[in-house]
Amino acid sequence: MKKGENTNRPQKGSIIKVEPIRELKDIKAIKKMLAGNPLYSAIFTVGINTNLRASDLLSITVGMVRGVKPMGEIELKEKKTGNVRRITLNKSCVDAIAELLKTRPNATDKDYLFIGKRGVLTVGTVNNLVKAWCAAINLKGNYGSHSLRKTWGYHQRVSFGVGLPELMTVFGHASQKQTLAYLCVQPEEIKNVYANEL
């Protein structure tokens, strides 16, 4: 091992799967824990209420969201795909963003929305934050920045009954199987088929 080398990194090319936060009580516990921190609260709230990847979440500027109303839309270019996406912000997102902006009265429209004490946050920082938040409430499993996006999709399907075709479109997946696997619900849904008694 070389000096300064991070041994806690996955091998290049390996697949690391993070999980959604499945229980609504765990989401509420994290929200309660973050309530006194407008920055972290906004990252978590917007993350679990949209299908944005962390890189796209961090690309939101103040001008994109200043004055946005519940169910208003923002438009951004996805870093991974290069596609321009329209994202609708629900009341929870708008309220969390408004609280964050109260702490940044001098922010210009060009400033990034999510800025920490050391500057613009990185995907790695968000990854570490999500891991820490989940650990703080004793949530067992593998969590990271992508868990926010997966949590949104998981609850759209499991809690709100949104159909697979709609979720496939939102996530840009090629098949329903891919969406089910992505959201970590395929094994659960298949197991539930066997619960139907004749």
Side-chain angles (χ1 to χ4, degrees), residues 1-18:
M1 181 173 82
K2 296 175 188 169
K3 186 177 178 181
E5 186 178 29
N6 184 352
T7 58
N8 193 25
R9 290 189 75 81
Q11 293 291 325
K12 189 172 182 173
S14 64
I15 296 173
I16 303 298
K17 290 188 178 179
V18 296

Side-chain angles (χ1 to χ4, degrees), residues 111-161:
D111 289 339
Y112 286 107
L113 179 63
F114 300 114
I115 294 182
K117 291 177 182 171
R118 296 182 189 149
V120 179
L121 299 180
T122 65
V123 172
T125 301
V126 175
N127 197 55
N128 291 336
L129 287 171
V130 173
K131 285 180 183 300
W133 299 335
C134 291
I137 64 161
N138 296 314
L139 203 52
K140 304 295 181 226
N142 190 26
Y143 300 94
S145 61
H146 219 55
S147 293
L148 302 177
R149 172 176 155 100
K150 283 191 171 191
T151 297
W152 178 83
Y154 178 88
H155 286 285
Q156 292 304 314
R157 177 72 179 153
V158 174
S159 300
F160 303 116

Side-chain angles (χ1 to χ4, degrees), residues 34-178:
L34 300 179
N37 186 318
L39 173 62
Y40 291 171
S41 182
I43 290 169
F44 184 72
T45 300
V46 176
I48 65 168
N49 280 282
T50 64
N51 67 318
L52 293 174
R53 294 177 184 90
S55 58
D56 298 324
L57 188 67
L58 296 176
S59 74
I60 297 173
T61 63
V62 171
M64 293 165 76
V65 296
R66 193 187 302 274
V68 71
K69 304 283 186 225
M71 300 311 289
E73 293 182 341
I74 63 171
E75 191 174 271
L76 53 82
K77 187 174 184 178
E78 290 182 320
K79 291 197 184 254
K80 181 177 179 180
T81 66
N83 296 333
V84 174
R85 299 288 307 270
R86 295 182 74 77
I87 303 296
T88 301
L89 299 176
N90 63 22
K91 186 177 185 313
S92 292
C93 290
V94 171
D95 290 349
I97 289 167
E99 288 302 308
L100 176 57
L101 289 177
K102 283 181 189 175
T103 68
R104 298 185 51 209
N106 299 323
T108 69
D109 284 354
K110 291 182 180 181
D111 289 339
Y112 286 107
L113 179 63
F114 300 114
I115 294 182
K117 291 177 182 171
R118 296 182 189 149
V120 179
L121 299 180
T122 65
V123 172
T125 301
V126 175
N127 197 55
N128 291 336
L129 287 171
V130 173
K131 285 180 183 300
W133 299 335
C134 291
I137 64 161
N138 296 314
L139 203 52
K140 304 295 181 226
N142 190 26
Y143 300 94
S145 61
H146 219 55
S147 293
L148 302 177
R149 172 176 155 100
K150 283 191 171 191
T151 297
W152 178 83
Y154 178 88
H155 286 285
Q156 292 304 314
R157 177 72 179 153
V158 174
S159 300
F160 303 116
V162 173
L164 285 174
E166 292 90 344
L167 291 174
M168 276 176 57
T169 300
V170 167
F171 285 115
H173 291 162
S175 69
Q176 291 186 8
K177 183 178 179 182
Q178 181 184 6

